[in-house]
Amino acid sequence: MKEFHCGSLVPGCDWHTRHEEEAEVMRRSVEHMREAHGESTIRETMVEAIRSRIANSQKAA
Ligand SMILES: [Zn+2]
């Protein structure tokens, strides 16, 4: 399982998501950035910032 905590990128945000596929975590995260943080244009730097913060879920083991 992969997970992403938005708070690691946007301090104070407690949104997070978890999924088997990193691509799905990525998709949901981008959607969250659009809807919750008003990022109408998701730049490559934003994608990279999210990707670098996607971690293996500790509950997977
Ligand atoms: Zn957020």
Side-chain angles (χ1 to χ4, degrees):
M1 296 287 272
K2 302 286 187 181
E3 62 182 18
F4 171 68
H5 289 260
C6 189
S8 66
L9 186 60
V10 183
C13 184
D14 63 1
W15 183 90
H16 64 277
T17 189
R18 185 184 305 149
H19 196 271
E20 268 180 65
E21 302 288 335
E22 184 181 280
E24 178 64 14
V25 173
M26 198 68 225
R27 194 189 65 75
R28 292 178 185 180
S29 300
V30 166
E31 195 174 275
H32 169 76
M33 287 298 162
R34 281 206 191 94
E35 293 179 356
H37 300 301
E39 297 284 346
S40 54
T41 305
I42 305 295
R43 296 181 195 82
E44 187 63 23
T45 50
M46 174 69 75
V47 172
E48 288 303 319
I50 294 170
R51 200 195 314 278
S52 69
R53 288 169 174 78
I54 292 176
N56 288 310
S57 172
Q58 294 173 355
K59 287 175 183 164

